[in-house]
PDB file of all heavy atoms in Angstrom:
ATOM      1  N   PRO V 224      25.797  13.390  -4.746  1.00 75.00           N
ATOM      2  CA  PRO V 224      26.591  13.510  -5.998  1.00 75.00           C
ATOM      3  C   PRO V 224      25.734  13.325  -7.239  1.00 75.00           C
ATOM      4  O   PRO V 224      24.966  12.369  -7.239  1.00 75.00           O
ATOM      5  CB  PRO V 224      27.663  12.537  -5.854  1.00 75.00           C
ATOM      6  CG  PRO V 224      27.127  11.579  -4.809  1.00 75.00           C
ATOM      7  CD  PRO V 224      26.282  12.378  -3.876  1.00 75.00           C
ATOM      8  N   LYS V 225      25.909  14.109  -8.165  1.00 70.00           N
ATOM      9  CA  LYS V 225      25.141  13.982  -9.481  1.00 70.00           C
ATOM     10  C   LYS V 225      25.483  12.585 -10.095  1.00 70.00           C
ATOM     11  O   LYS V 225      24.571  11.909 -10.679  1.00 70.00           O
ATOM     12  CB  LYS V 225      25.495  15.034 -10.443  1.00 70.00           C
ATOM     13  CG  LYS V 225      24.736  16.342 -10.143  1.00 70.00           C
ATOM     14  CD  LYS V 225      25.115  17.328 -11.232  1.00 70.00           C
ATOM     15  CE  LYS V 225      24.475  18.704 -10.980  1.00 70.00           C
ATOM     16  NZ  LYS V 225      22.927  18.607 -10.954  1.00 70.00           N
ATOM     17  N   ASN V 226      26.732  12.200 -10.108  1.00 63.00           N
ATOM     18  CA  ASN V 226      27.071  11.028 -10.690  1.00 63.00           C
ATOM     19  C   ASN V 226      27.078   9.858  -9.831  1.00 63.00           C
ATOM     20  O   ASN V 226      27.908   9.034  -9.822  1.00 63.00           O
ATOM     21  CB  ASN V 226      28.475  11.190 -11.411  1.00 63.00           C
ATOM     22  CG  ASN V 226      29.501  11.577 -10.274  1.00 63.00           C
ATOM     23  OD1 ASN V 226      29.183  11.848  -9.150  1.00 63.00           O
ATOM     24  ND2 ASN V 226      30.859  11.462 -10.681  1.00 63.00           N
ATOM     25  N   TRP V 227      25.933   9.739  -9.003  1.00 58.00           N
ATOM     26  CA  TRP V 227      25.892   8.678  -8.072  1.00 58.00           C
ATOM     27  C   TRP V 227      25.847   7.356  -8.778  1.00 58.00           C
ATOM     28  O   TRP V 227      26.207   6.378  -8.106  1.00 58.00           O
ATOM     29  CB  TRP V 227      24.547   8.870  -7.238  1.00 58.00           C
ATOM     30  CG  TRP V 227      23.420   8.929  -8.221  1.00 58.00           C
ATOM     31  CD1 TRP V 227      22.836  10.012  -8.755  1.00 58.00           C
ATOM     32  CD2 TRP V 227      22.632   7.805  -8.703  1.00 58.00           C
ATOM     33  NE1 TRP V 227      21.862   9.585  -9.637  1.00 58.00           N
ATOM     34  CE2 TRP V 227      21.699   8.181  -9.517  1.00 58.00           C
ATOM     35  CE3 TRP V 227      22.691   6.352  -8.253  1.00 58.00           C
ATOM     36  CZ2 TRP V 227      20.752   7.385 -10.120  1.00 58.00           C
ATOM     37  CZ3 TRP V 227      21.781   5.582  -9.018  1.00 58.00           C
ATOM     38  CH2 TRP V 227      20.871   6.016  -9.901  1.00 58.00           C
ATOM     39  N   GLY V 228      25.466   7.395 -10.045  1.00 54.00           N
ATOM     40  CA  GLY V 228      25.346   6.081 -10.749  1.00 54.00           C
ATOM     41  C   GLY V 228      26.650   5.288 -10.892  1.00 54.00           C
ATOM     42  O   GLY V 228      26.792   4.125 -10.796  1.00 54.00           O
ATOM     43  N   SER V 229      27.738   6.098 -10.805  1.00 53.00           N
ATOM     44  CA  SER V 229      29.085   5.464 -10.852  1.00 53.00           C
ATOM     45  C   SER V 229      29.625   5.097  -9.528  1.00 53.00           C
ATOM     46  O   SER V 229      30.703   4.498  -9.304  1.00 53.00           O
ATOM     47  CB  SER V 229      30.133   6.533 -11.515  1.00 53.00           C
ATOM     48  OG  SER V 229      30.279   7.542 -10.648  1.00 53.00           O
ATOM     49  N   THR V 230      28.793   5.325  -8.465  1.00 54.00           N
ATOM     50  CA  THR V 230      29.217   4.927  -7.159  1.00 54.00           C
ATOM     51  C   THR V 230      28.648   3.553  -6.715  1.00 54.00           C
ATOM     52  O   THR V 230      28.898   3.170  -5.644  1.00 54.00           O
ATOM     53  CB  THR V 230      28.736   5.911  -6.178  1.00 54.00           C
ATOM     54  OG1 THR V 230      27.210   5.844  -6.043  1.00 54.00           O
ATOM     55  CG2 THR V 230      29.153   7.378  -6.474  1.00 54.00           C
ATOM     56  N   TYR V 231      27.970   2.929  -7.696  1.00 57.00           N
ATOM     57  CA  TYR V 231      27.468   1.661  -7.407  1.00 57.00           C
ATOM     58  C   TYR V 231      26.621   1.525  -6.177  1.00 57.00           C
ATOM     59  O   TYR V 231      26.816   0.569  -5.265  1.00 57.00           O
ATOM     60  CB  TYR V 231      28.600   0.529  -7.499  1.00 57.00           C
ATOM     61  CG  TYR V 231      29.304   0.588  -8.731  1.00 57.00           C
ATOM     62  CD1 TYR V 231      30.745   0.834  -8.594  1.00 57.00           C
ATOM     63  CD2 TYR V 231      28.760   0.532  -9.945  1.00 57.00           C
ATOM     64  CE1 TYR V 231      31.493   0.957  -9.760  1.00 57.00           C
ATOM     65  CE2 TYR V 231      29.383   0.632 -11.074  1.00 57.00           C
ATOM     66  CZ  TYR V 231      30.809   0.762 -11.071  1.00 57.00           C
ATOM     67  OH  TYR V 231      31.437   0.909 -12.152  1.00 57.00           O
ATOM     68  N   GLY V 232      25.880   2.512  -6.029  1.00 63.00           N
ATOM     69  CA  GLY V 232      24.925   2.535  -4.830  1.00 63.00           C
ATOM     70  C   GLY V 232      25.512   2.849  -3.461  1.00 63.00           C
ATOM     71  O   GLY V 232      24.947   2.507  -2.517  1.00 63.00           O
ATOM     72  N   SER V 233      26.567   3.514  -3.483  1.00 75.00           N
ATOM     73  CA  SER V 233      27.078   3.878  -2.214  1.00 75.00           C
ATOM     74  C   SER V 233      27.914   5.234  -2.316  1.00 75.00           C
ATOM     75  O   SER V 233      28.695   5.436  -3.188  1.00 75.00           O
ATOM     76  CB  SER V 233      28.126   2.779  -1.741  1.00 75.00           C
ATOM     77  OG  SER V 233      28.665   3.146  -0.513  1.00 75.00           O
ATOM     78  N   TYR V 234      27.443   6.188  -1.582  1.00 80.00           N
ATOM     79  CA  TYR V 234      28.044   7.501  -1.742  1.00 80.00           C
ATOM     80  C   TYR V 234      27.888   8.297  -0.479  1.00 80.00           C
ATOM     81  O   TYR V 234      27.018   7.988   0.454  1.00 80.00           O
ATOM     82  CB  TYR V 234      27.501   8.242  -2.947  1.00 80.00           C
ATOM     83  CG  TYR V 234      26.006   8.329  -2.997  1.00 80.00           C
ATOM     84  CD1 TYR V 234      25.362   9.348  -2.215  1.00 80.00           C
ATOM     85  CD2 TYR V 234      25.246   7.498  -3.660  1.00 80.00           C
ATOM     86  CE1 TYR V 234      23.915   9.368  -2.276  1.00 80.00           C
ATOM     87  CE2 TYR V 234      23.931   7.592  -3.836  1.00 80.00           C
ATOM     88  CZ  TYR V 234      23.194   8.462  -3.035  1.00 80.00           C
ATOM     89  OH  TYR V 234      21.858   8.607  -3.024  1.00 80.00           O
ATOM     90  N   THR V 235      28.577   9.464  -0.371  1.00 81.00           N
ATOM     91  CA  THR V 235      28.389  10.212   0.662  1.00 81.00           C
ATOM     92  C   THR V 235      27.397  11.475   0.383  1.00 81.00           C
ATOM     93  O   THR V 235      27.399  11.918  -0.732  1.00 81.00           O
ATOM     94  CB  THR V 235      29.743  10.897   1.098  1.00 81.00           C
ATOM     95  OG1 THR V 235      30.650   9.882   1.356  1.00 81.00           O
ATOM     96  CG2 THR V 235      29.711  11.770   2.411  1.00 81.00           C
ATOM     97  N   PHE V 236      26.635  11.862   1.334  1.00 84.00           N
ATOM     98  CA  PHE V 236      25.764  13.060   1.098  1.00 84.00           C
ATOM     99  C   PHE V 236      26.048  14.080   2.103  1.00 84.00           C
ATOM    100  O   PHE V 236      26.614  13.864   3.194  1.00 84.00           O
ATOM    101  CB  PHE V 236      24.250  12.612   1.038  1.00 84.00           C
ATOM    102  CG  PHE V 236      23.857  11.951   2.283  1.00 84.00           C
ATOM    103  CD1 PHE V 236      23.240  12.690   3.356  1.00 84.00           C
ATOM    104  CD2 PHE V 236      23.987  10.527   2.571  1.00 84.00           C
ATOM    105  CE1 PHE V 236      22.860  11.954   4.512  1.00 84.00           C
ATOM    106  CE2 PHE V 236      23.533   9.908   3.678  1.00 84.00           C
ATOM    107  CZ  PHE V 236      22.933  10.680   4.754  1.00 84.00           C
TER     108      PHE V 236
END
Side-chain angles (χ1 to χ4, degrees):
Chain V
K225 279 184 184 299
N226 57 348
W227 59 273
S229 63
T230 67
Y231 305 124
S233 180
Y234 52 81
T235 303
F236 57 91

